[in-house]
Amino acid sequence: MELYGFELEAALHLSEKIKITASYVYQEHDVSQTGYEQDWTYYLPASLPKHKVKVLAGYEIINDGWIELSSRFVGSRGSQQNDELDDYFVCDLGFSKKFIVNGLDYNLKLYVNNITGTDYEEVAGYPMPEYVWGMSLGVSF
């Protein structure tokens, strides 16, 4: 089996308050028959999409406080059930804030994933949730 392709990524800081990151991935595969393979081995490389695009835009609304909008497109791909999974486009929205309390660095994140309510499956047979709301708090010692 051969897996090949390329990835392009760019990160731009348009100003002190605006940042954008974008990436594109192209991947392809070839499978040669050797006589030792099993039927189930062929779905593994076919489950990778040929095209993936990610874009993240951030705007600093307060000191070390960022509003971020991210989006990703994943192209159609095969599945282990010999079906094809549809391509999908998903947007996420979040806010992150860094701060220091008693000498410790904290990072608070609030987010909503899939703000468009897109119906999609990353893995065949497992629909992703319509919306995911969350919060995380990290600390660095």
Side-chain angles (χ1 to χ4, degrees):
M1 188 206 102
E2 293 180 356
L3 180 63
Y4 55 92
F6 64 89
E7 180 175 353
L8 299 172
E9 184 172 321
L12 304 169
H13 289 265
L14 302 177
S15 71
E16 288 185 18
K17 295 192 173 285
I18 299 173
K19 62 182 178 181
I20 296 175
T21 303
S23 68
Y24 171 73
V25 175
Y26 173 81
Q27 48 198 7
E28 186 65 76
H29 71 278
D30 286 325
V31 178
S32 300
Q33 294 202 7
T34 63
Y36 296 106
E37 62 277 341
Q38 301 290 325
D39 288 339
W40 58 268
T41 61
Y42 284 103
Y43 82 81
L44 296 172
S47 67
L48 299 171
K50 284 187 182 181
H51 306 280
K52 289 192 290 187
V53 179
K54 295 181 183 179
V55 177
L56 169 71
Y59 180 73
E60 188 178 32
I61 58 172
I62 58 176
N63 188 33
D64 286 331
W66 292 83
I67 291 284
E68 295 180 328
L69 177 64
S70 66
S71 60
R72 67 187 179 280
F73 168 81
V74 176
S76 61
R77 62 232 178 266
S79 75
Q80 63 272 32
Q81 287 131 354
N82 294 324
D83 294 330
E84 186 169 288
L85 291 172
D86 293 332
D87 55 15
Y88 62 88
F89 177 79
V90 177
C91 291
D92 304 328
L93 183 64
F95 171 77
S96 65
K97 170 74 173 123
K98 292 182 180 180
F99 55 94
I100 299 173
V101 175
N102 294 330
L104 296 176
D105 294 331
Y106 290 88
N107 191 5
L108 173 67
K109 294 182 180 182
L110 307 169
Y111 58 89
V112 180
N113 291 345
N114 192 14
I115 61 174
T116 56
T118 302
D119 291 326
Y120 69 102
E121 295 179 5
E122 290 182 355
V123 176
Y126 297 94
M128 296 301 290
E130 187 173 6
Y131 304 102
V132 176
W133 299 78
M135 180 185 95
S136 69
L137 179 63
V139 62
S140 298
F141 300 92

